[in-house]
Amino acid sequence: MGKLKDHPERDSYHLVYILFIIFGGAMLSAWNAIISASAYFEQSLPSKHAMNFMLVAYNVGVLPFMFLTTVYSSELNYTIFIGVPFVAAAALMICVPFICTYLKMKMAALVLMMIVAFICGMGTGVLNTSVFGLGGVFAGSSAGGIMIGQGFVGLLSLIPLILHLSIPGDNTQTIGLIFFIFAACLNVIAFVCILLFKKIPFAKYTLDKYEQSKHPERVPLLKAEDQNRVNSKAEDLVEYQPTEEGAVVLKGCSKIKAFVKQLFGVLRRMKWYALAVFLCYFVTLFIYPSAILSVPSPKGMFTTDWQIALWIHIRLNIFAVSDFISRWIPQCIKLYKSPALVVIVSLVRVIFAVLLVIARWVVWMRNLPFFITIYAIFSLMNGYHGTLIMSVAADQCDIEPSKRGVAGSTMAFVLNCGIALGCFLALPLGAALK
């Protein structure tokens, strides 16, 4: 740490960026393990619709807690609000196999798994807004690191599925255990990383600057050489007025009204980016995987049981691999220079989604090269579009440093609203396509 302390304003070895990748992967790993182990739950729980029940319970938990965390995002202790959900997620992943395997009353097991899904949703809601809020305090690349971490976990989830396809016999239980063990380990690693986060000089320096931009009278005076580096503009602080007790509130507003006013003020400035990221993930989750998996194989291809299973994995792999690769591209190529282009690309993805859905009935669209090309472009655009929006929104909307945390949390909340609505509407769509 000696050399790092000499230049705290720089993330010289990309340590903070790497930690954000770990946080991004861990924050979705528990729920990703549950949805990826759907075959495990079909064997272990009494209802074939167990995943649908768990999905509803998850979203009932995630959205209210995302909203509450977003409203209070400017006052969060990030170490607590990120660390505690990681510990809870690791504990849940350890409990899942015991609930499904050793509990003899299967209906009780189903109820407990719905409770697990609900708690998982609560934790994910808090984590999403907290981690993206923390990422918003740092440079735009930090949000990109979070998105890359999420894509990495989605990619790794394919490994047990490929093993399930390639290893003869029924290994559903083993594959499920692999998912849960991996998620538990990743959450423990993320918990350790958040404890070490502020030990990194760049992280401590940036968070101190952020606190000074919000509450200048609460932050101890920096050393002279550090004070010269602080570039917070005076206009970033004009909305705040110190009280006699030393608290900082928005003048003329109660505390809750102040948070809501700030929240919607940020959202109003980022409206086109928020709309774009909502559409991006709503469209994706609306058709993936239910509508995609309903598309029959091209005529004369994938006819045996093993080949049919291969066709399923081809469709899953194309999305996961393309999405993961495209999340790295915004680090090098940033095409979006205006909100108009962001919205246009979002609408183009809607057209691609329509093509993929009607391929269920239109035979010529199931031509293998055509289908794979359209699907790969759709998947590439998902990762690139979402990652770049989350990375550049605050900068291109000129969000003040004191509101970067709220901006990151707000974008995360809108993103997950798109995911939740897409998942809910995918249920009737999937049932209609069967």
Side-chain angles (χ1 to χ4, degrees), residues 78-90 123 126-127 187 191 194-195:
Y78 286 118
T79 302
I80 295 175
F81 277 79
I82 294 175
V84 172
F86 281 147
V87 173
V126 174
L127 275 174
N187 276 278
F191 173 71
I194 193 62
L195 294 181

Side-chain angles (χ1 to χ4, degrees), residues 194-369:
I194 193 62
L195 294 181
L196 297 176
F197 189 77
K198 286 195 70 173
K199 301 293 183 182
I200 299 173
F202 172 68
K204 185 177 185 304
Y205 170 79
T206 304
L207 288 173
D208 285 346
K209 249 179 72 171
Y210 173 63
E211 285 300 320
Q212 188 183 50
S213 72
K214 293 193 307 173
H215 310 299
E217 78 293 337
R218 291 185 185 177
V219 181
L221 291 176
L222 299 176
K223 294 180 180 179
E225 61 270 21
D226 290 335
Q227 188 67 44
N228 292 332
R229 298 189 187 106
V230 177
N231 297 317
S232 299
K233 298 177 181 179
E235 56 266 26
D236 296 337
L237 310 175
V238 295
E239 292 182 297
Y240 292 94
Q241 302 291 336
T243 65
E244 293 180 0
E245 294 79 16
V248 177
V249 296
L250 288 178
K251 190 175 182 180
C253 298
S254 66
K255 192 171 185 180
I256 185 66
K257 288 182 179 179
F259 285 134
V260 173
K261 181 179 178 181
Q262 186 182 47
L263 172 66
F264 285 98
V266 168
L267 185 58
R268 186 163 52 249
R269 295 181 65 175
M270 304 173 73
K271 57 182 179 294
W272 295 116
Y273 292 90
L275 174 63
V277 82
F278 174 86
L279 282 176
C280 177
Y281 287 93
F282 164 72
V283 168
T284 296
L285 272 296
F286 182 50
I287 71 166
Y288 178 85
S290 59
I292 296 298
L293 293 180
S294 73
V295 177
S297 59
K299 190 174 182 180
M301 301 179 66
F302 307 104
T303 55
T304 67
D305 290 342
W306 187 87
Q307 289 173 340
I308 291 172
L310 178 62
W311 175 237
I312 292 173
H313 283 277
I314 286 174
R315 286 169 289 176
L316 293 174
N317 288 351
I318 288 174
F319 181 86
V321 173
S322 300
D323 178 72
F324 175 70
I325 291 172
S326 62
R327 290 177 185 241
W328 292 90
I329 300 176
Q331 309 301 314
C332 306
I333 304 173
K334 297 184 178 180
L335 297 179
Y336 300 160
K337 301 298 182 183
S338 70
L341 185 58
V342 171
V343 175
I344 290 171
V345 174
S346 300
L347 297 177
V348 169
R349 291 192 77 251
V350 174
I351 297 173
F352 277 89
V354 172
L355 291 175
L356 291 169
V357 171
I358 64 176
R360 172 72 174 77
W361 298 280
V362 182
V363 175
W364 68 266
M365 286 188 176
R366 298 200 296 271
N367 174 279
L368 195 60

Side-chain angles (χ1 to χ4, degrees), residues 389-401:
I389 290 171
M390 296 298 290
S391 299
V392 306
D395 289 330
Q396 293 197 2
C397 295
D398 197 25
I399 301 297
E400 300 94 326

